[in-house]
Short mmCIF file of all heavy atoms in Angstrom, two decimals:
data_model
loop_
_atom_site.label_atom_id
_atom_site.label_comp_id
_atom_site.label_asym_id
_atom_site.label_seq_id
_atom_site.Cartn_x
_atom_site.Cartn_y
_atom_site.Cartn_z
N ASP A 325 1.88 -4.51 7.05
CA ASP A 325 0.89 -3.46 7.31
C ASP A 325 -0.38 -4.05 7.92
O ASP A 325 -0.97 -3.48 8.85
CB ASP A 325 0.54 -2.72 6.03
CG ASP A 325 1.66 -1.79 5.57
OD1 ASP A 325 2.57 -1.53 6.36
OD2 ASP A 325 1.60 -1.34 4.41
N ALA A 326 -0.84 -5.17 7.36
CA ALA A 326 -2.07 -5.80 7.86
C ALA A 326 -1.91 -6.22 9.31
O ALA A 326 -2.83 -6.07 10.12
CB ALA A 326 -2.44 -7.00 6.98
N ALA A 327 -0.73 -6.74 9.65
CA ALA A 327 -0.50 -7.18 11.03
C ALA A 327 -0.41 -5.99 11.98
O ALA A 327 -0.97 -6.02 13.08
CB ALA A 327 0.78 -8.01 11.10
N ILE A 328 0.29 -4.92 11.56
CA ILE A 328 0.41 -3.74 12.43
C ILE A 328 -0.95 -3.08 12.62
O ILE A 328 -1.28 -2.60 13.70
CB ILE A 328 1.44 -2.75 11.85
CG1 ILE A 328 2.85 -3.34 11.96
CG2 ILE A 328 1.38 -1.42 12.58
CD1 ILE A 328 3.93 -2.49 11.34
N ALA A 329 -1.77 -3.07 11.56
CA ALA A 329 -3.12 -2.52 11.69
C ALA A 329 -3.94 -3.32 12.70
O ALA A 329 -4.75 -2.76 13.43
CB ALA A 329 -3.82 -2.51 10.33
N GLY A 330 -3.71 -4.63 12.74
CA GLY A 330 -4.44 -5.48 13.69
C GLY A 330 -3.94 -5.36 15.11
O GLY A 330 -4.72 -5.49 16.06
N ASN A 331 -2.65 -5.09 15.29
CA ASN A 331 -2.09 -4.96 16.64
C ASN A 331 -0.91 -3.98 16.61
O ASN A 331 0.25 -4.39 16.57
CB ASN A 331 -1.62 -6.32 17.17
CG ASN A 331 -1.19 -6.24 18.64
OD1 ASN A 331 -1.26 -5.18 19.27
ND2 ASN A 331 -0.76 -7.36 19.20
N PRO A 332 -1.21 -2.66 16.61
CA PRO A 332 -0.14 -1.66 16.51
C PRO A 332 0.91 -1.76 17.61
O PRO A 332 2.07 -1.42 17.40
CB PRO A 332 -0.89 -0.33 16.59
CG PRO A 332 -2.30 -0.66 16.20
CD PRO A 332 -2.55 -2.05 16.66
N ARG A 333 0.53 -2.23 18.79
CA ARG A 333 1.46 -2.28 19.91
C ARG A 333 2.59 -3.28 19.69
O ARG A 333 3.60 -3.24 20.39
CB ARG A 333 0.72 -2.60 21.21
CG ARG A 333 -0.26 -1.52 21.62
CD ARG A 333 -0.93 -1.83 22.94
NE ARG A 333 -1.85 -0.77 23.32
CZ ARG A 333 -1.51 0.38 23.89
NH1 ARG A 333 -0.24 0.61 24.15
NH2 ARG A 333 -2.42 1.28 24.18
N MET A 334 2.40 -4.21 18.74
CA MET A 334 3.44 -5.20 18.49
C MET A 334 4.25 -4.88 17.23
O MET A 334 4.88 -5.77 16.66
CB MET A 334 2.83 -6.60 18.37
CG MET A 334 2.49 -7.23 19.70
SD MET A 334 2.06 -9.01 19.58
CE MET A 334 3.64 -9.73 19.11
N ALA A 335 4.26 -3.62 16.80
CA ALA A 335 5.01 -3.27 15.58
C ALA A 335 6.47 -3.69 15.68
O ALA A 335 7.04 -4.26 14.74
CB ALA A 335 4.90 -1.77 15.31
N ASN A 336 7.11 -3.42 16.82
CA ASN A 336 8.51 -3.80 17.00
C ASN A 336 8.69 -5.30 16.84
O ASN A 336 9.58 -5.77 16.12
CB ASN A 336 9.00 -3.39 18.39
CG ASN A 336 9.27 -1.90 18.48
OD1 ASN A 336 8.86 -1.12 17.63
ND2 ASN A 336 9.95 -1.50 19.53
N GLU A 337 7.86 -6.06 17.55
CA GLU A 337 7.99 -7.51 17.53
C GLU A 337 7.72 -8.08 16.13
O GLU A 337 8.39 -9.03 15.69
CB GLU A 337 7.03 -8.15 18.54
CG GLU A 337 7.40 -7.89 20.00
CD GLU A 337 6.83 -6.58 20.53
OE1 GLU A 337 6.38 -5.74 19.71
OE2 GLU A 337 6.83 -6.40 21.76
N ILE A 338 6.73 -7.51 15.44
CA ILE A 338 6.38 -7.99 14.10
C ILE A 338 7.57 -7.84 13.15
O ILE A 338 7.97 -8.79 12.46
CB ILE A 338 5.16 -7.22 13.56
CG1 ILE A 338 3.90 -7.64 14.32
CG2 ILE A 338 4.98 -7.44 12.06
CD1 ILE A 338 2.71 -6.71 14.10
N ILE A 339 8.16 -6.64 13.11
CA ILE A 339 9.25 -6.38 12.17
C ILE A 339 10.50 -7.16 12.55
O ILE A 339 11.18 -7.75 11.70
CB ILE A 339 9.52 -4.87 12.09
CG1 ILE A 339 8.31 -4.18 11.44
CG2 ILE A 339 10.79 -4.58 11.30
CD1 ILE A 339 8.39 -2.67 11.41
N ASN A 340 10.82 -7.21 13.84
CA ASN A 340 12.01 -7.94 14.26
C ASN A 340 11.89 -9.44 14.00
O ASN A 340 12.85 -10.08 13.57
CB ASN A 340 12.30 -7.68 15.74
CG ASN A 340 13.03 -6.37 15.95
OD1 ASN A 340 14.03 -6.10 15.30
ND2 ASN A 340 12.53 -5.53 16.84
N ALA A 341 10.70 -10.00 14.24
CA ALA A 341 10.52 -11.44 13.98
C ALA A 341 10.69 -11.75 12.49
O ALA A 341 11.31 -12.74 12.12
CB ALA A 341 9.14 -11.88 14.46
N LEU A 342 10.14 -10.87 11.64
CA LEU A 342 10.27 -11.09 10.20
C LEU A 342 11.73 -11.01 9.76
O LEU A 342 12.21 -11.85 8.99
CB LEU A 342 9.45 -10.04 9.45
CG LEU A 342 9.57 -10.07 7.92
CD1 LEU A 342 9.12 -11.42 7.37
CD2 LEU A 342 8.77 -8.95 7.30
N LEU A 343 12.48 -10.03 10.28
CA LEU A 343 13.87 -9.88 9.86
C LEU A 343 14.76 -10.96 10.43
O LEU A 343 15.79 -11.29 9.84
CB LEU A 343 14.38 -8.49 10.26
CG LEU A 343 13.69 -7.31 9.55
CD1 LEU A 343 14.31 -6.00 9.97
CD2 LEU A 343 13.78 -7.48 8.04
N GLN A 344 14.41 -11.51 11.56
CA GLN A 344 15.16 -12.66 12.07
C GLN A 344 14.92 -13.88 11.19
O GLN A 344 15.84 -14.66 10.93
CB GLN A 344 14.75 -12.96 13.53
CG GLN A 344 15.21 -11.94 14.55
CD GLN A 344 16.72 -11.96 14.77
OE1 GLN A 344 17.38 -12.96 14.52
NE2 GLN A 344 17.26 -10.84 15.23
N ALA A 345 13.69 -14.06 10.72
CA ALA A 345 13.37 -15.22 9.87
C ALA A 345 13.89 -15.06 8.46
O ALA A 345 14.28 -16.05 7.82
CB ALA A 345 11.86 -15.43 9.85
#
Side-chain angles (χ1 to χ4, degrees):
D325 287 346
I328 291 176
N331 187 1
R333 295 183 180 279
M334 281 191 68
N336 284 14
E337 290 86 346
I338 289 167
I339 293 175
N340 279 310
L342 176 60
L343 294 182
Q344 289 290 337

